[in-house]
């Protein structure tokens, strides 16, 4: 098993490098880089002489084009060259990429161009929101989906199975943002009830509350966004659990166990349960990271939460390259380790699985 883990870790290097190369190359062809963003702000908010000192203090380092900036009319050429130099655009793309990767190997991600804060500090500042959404959504989805999926498999074709399948299909078909808005209208002081807060993860007086009061306030705020974020994951996981159990129930070893006189309970929990739960339990790390990355942006916007989803979106819109590439590197690396963790979870759940014997 040790050789397999080492092999997988070594494969992460070219995989992560490929991810960074592709995204860095694509960004070079996207118009409206950081320099153009600053020039557009200068053009809209005042003359060059009014804003040169302030804008020079706000910019950092990364890449872009070397000429023909729209909005540079009337600005001194020397100022534009200095601006490109501060962003690092005076160097060729290959040199910028190599220097960036050298820094990233030391986990030095630089500072945001427009926020005057290091990328790591910015990520740590936004992380609690995304962790709250991802962790609670995953736990809630598993706590509901696994028992329901098992019961649907045991009572396949029954009235319960039919009704719950209809509910699951409807839930899966509802867009997350639409369900989030519906929750706000109904339960957050819209047209009906005012049971939950409209925005944020904590109240304004959170620091003044007792420990129990802080826990209660936090859970009170998280109910609606987690509910809205859970609906799609709940539907998918329930059907996955049901189908996994149905596949195991129909296998030959189940028929053999029944023929030997084992009770249905003994067959189910002694043989079927362990094998059927393999794919469900082993998929937990991947499910968490998937919800953590892909399911938060719209929910954060609707509920006015400031997490990783909004951070990535704003970095892409504003061409904040240190934040964009820094988070891509960090979470790309995290995603690769999560995939490895998922494989190791398979082995923990079922020791019969041996990745070591697979051909490379």
């Amino acid at each position: 098993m040790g050789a397999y883990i080492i092999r997988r870790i070594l494969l992460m290097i070219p995989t992560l490098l490929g991810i960074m190369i592709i995204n860095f190359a694509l960004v070079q062809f996207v118009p409206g880089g950081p320099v153009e963003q600053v020039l557009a702000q200068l053009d809209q908010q005042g003359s060059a002489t009014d804003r040169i000192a302030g804008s020079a203090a706000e910019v950092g380092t990364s890449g872009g084009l070397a000429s023909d900036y729209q909005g540079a009319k009337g600005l001194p050429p020397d100022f534009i060259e200095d601006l490109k130099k501060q962003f690092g655009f005076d160097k060729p793309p290959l040199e910028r990429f190599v220097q960036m990767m050298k820094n990233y190997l030391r986990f030095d991600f630089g500072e945001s161009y427009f926020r005057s804060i290091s990328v790591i500090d910015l990520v740590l500042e936004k992380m609690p929101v995304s962790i709250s959404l991802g962790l609670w959504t995953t736990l809630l989805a598993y706590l509901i989906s696994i028992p329901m999926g098992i019961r649907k498999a045991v009572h396949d074709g029954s009235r319960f199975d039919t009704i719950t399948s209809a509910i699951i299909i409807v839930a899966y078909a509802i867009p997350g943002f639409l369900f989030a808005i519906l929750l706000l209208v109904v339960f957050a002081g819209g047209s009906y009830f005012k049971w939950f807060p409209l925005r944020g993860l904590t109240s304004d007086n959170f620091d003044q509350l007792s420990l129990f009061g802080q826990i209660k306030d936090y859970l009170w705020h998280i109910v609606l966004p987690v509910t809205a974020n859970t609906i799609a994951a709940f539907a998918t996981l329930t059907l996955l659990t049901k189908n996994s159990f149905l596949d195991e129930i129909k296998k030959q070893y189940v028929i053999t166990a029944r023929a030997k006189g084992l009770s249905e309970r003994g067959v189910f929990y002694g043989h079927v349960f362990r094998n059927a739960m393999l794919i469900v339990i082993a998929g937990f790390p991947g499910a968490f990271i998937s919800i953590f990355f892909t399911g938060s942006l719209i929910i954060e916007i609707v509920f006015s939460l400031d997490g990783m989803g909004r951070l990535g979106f704003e970095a892409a819109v504003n061409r904040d390259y240190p934040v964009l590439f820094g988070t891509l590197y960090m979470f790309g690396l995290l995603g690769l380790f999560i995939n490895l963790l998922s494989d190791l979870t398979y082995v923990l759940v079922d020791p019969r699985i041996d990745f070591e014997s697979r051909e490379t």
Side-chain angles (χ1 to χ4, degrees):
M1 194 62 187
Y4 172 76
I5 295 175
I6 294 174
R7 185 167 65 247
R8 284 290 301 272
I9 292 176
L10 292 176
L11 285 173
M12 291 179 187
I13 298 174
T15 303
L16 185 61
L17 183 61
I19 292 173
M20 298 302 298
I21 290 175
I22 292 173
N23 283 274
F24 186 86
L26 289 175
V27 164
Q28 306 309 307
F29 298 99
V30 177
V35 175
E36 290 179 328
Q37 295 279 338
V38 173
L39 295 178
Q41 292 176 10
L42 294 177
D43 188 54
Q44 293 174 3
Q45 299 178 14
S47 65
T49 55
D50 293 333
R51 295 298 304 272
I52 286 177
S55 63
E58 294 175 358
V59 295
T61 57
S62 202
L65 300 176
S67 61
D68 297 330
Y69 286 100
Q70 301 295 327
K73 299 176 181 178
L75 293 175
D78 292 341
F79 167 72
I80 297 186
E81 291 301 321
D82 290 341
L83 194 61
K84 290 189 291 184
K85 186 175 181 179
Q86 291 181 42
F87 279 111
F89 290 179
D90 57 324
K91 301 175 182 178
L94 180 59
E95 183 178 346
R96 295 200 310 269
F97 179 78
V98 171
Q99 183 60 47
M100 181 182 73
M101 294 305 298
K102 287 181 179 179
N103 293 335
Y104 285 5
L105 288 175
R106 304 192 303 268
F107 291 94
D108 177 11
F109 302 103
E111 289 190 355
S112 168
Y113 283 161
F114 307 109
R115 303 195 188 201
S116 299
I117 183 175
S118 70
V119 174
I120 291 182
D121 289 340
L122 192 58
V123 169
L124 293 177
E125 179 184 317
K126 311 298 182 183
M127 191 74 76
V129 172
S130 295
I131 290 179
S132 294
L133 288 176
L135 183 60
W136 287 113
T137 297
T138 306
L139 290 176
L140 187 61
Y142 269 74
L143 289 175
I144 295 175
S145 300
I146 291 177
M148 182 177 292
I150 293 174
R151 186 174 180 184
K152 284 173 64 63
V154 173
H155 300 283
D156 184 39
S158 66
R159 184 177 180 182
F160 171 80
D161 182 42
T162 303
I163 294 174
T164 53
S165 294
I167 295 174
I168 288 172
I169 292 173
V170 172
Y172 187 75
I174 298 176
F177 75 93
L178 184 60
F179 188 64
I181 294 173
L182 177 63
L183 291 176
L184 286 179
V185 171
V186 177
F187 298 108
S191 303
Y192 299 94
F193 309 102
K194 194 174 182 180
W195 293 349
F196 298 98
L198 189 63
R199 59 175 59 88
L201 282 184
T202 57
S203 301
D204 294 335
N205 63 337
F206 181 80
D207 294 333
Q208 303 172 7
L209 300 175
S210 64
L211 177 60
F212 177 77
Q214 290 179 342
I215 295 174
K216 183 180 177 181
D217 182 75
Y218 167 75
L219 295 176
W220 182 48
H221 281 75
I222 205 68
V223 168
L224 294 187
V226 167
T227 302
N229 211 31
T230 302
I231 186 168
F234 149 75
T236 303
L237 187 57
T238 301
L239 294 179
L240 174 64
T241 304
K242 176 191 174 182
N243 292 334
S244 179
F245 273 83
L246 283 178
D247 288 342
E248 292 297 325
I249 289 173
K250 296 176 181 178
K251 288 185 177 179
Q252 183 63 42
Y253 73 88
V254 176
I255 300 175
T256 303
R258 286 170 176 166
K260 290 181 178 180
L262 289 179
S263 64
E264 285 297 319
R265 185 180 182 85
V267 172
F268 188 83
Y269 289 103
H271 298 275
V272 174
F273 186 84
R274 180 180 180 180
N275 294 330
M277 287 298 294
L278 174 63
I279 188 173
V280 178
I281 296 176
F284 180 84
F288 171 69
I289 209 69
S290 175
I291 295 173
F292 181 80
F293 286 128
T294 63
S296 61
L297 174 58
I298 296 178
I299 301 300
E300 288 177 14
I301 293 175
V302 172
F303 291 98
S304 300
L305 303 175
D306 193 9
M308 292 301 302
R310 293 186 67 174
L311 175 64
F313 175 75
E314 292 172 358
V317 171
N318 296 329
R319 306 298 192 269
D320 197 344
Y321 291 159
V323 177
L324 190 64
F325 290 121
T327 53
L328 177 66
Y329 180 89
M330 283 188 281
F331 295 121
L333 186 62
L334 177 62
L336 292 173
F337 273 105
I338 288 295
N339 287 333
L340 175 59
L341 180 61
S342 295
D343 287 347
L344 298 180
T345 307
Y346 276 104
V347 178
L348 291 176
V349 174
D350 189 351
R352 295 173 300 175
I353 296 177
D354 184 15
F355 289 108
E356 192 70 40
S357 61
R358 299 193 316 178
E359 295 182 359
T360 58

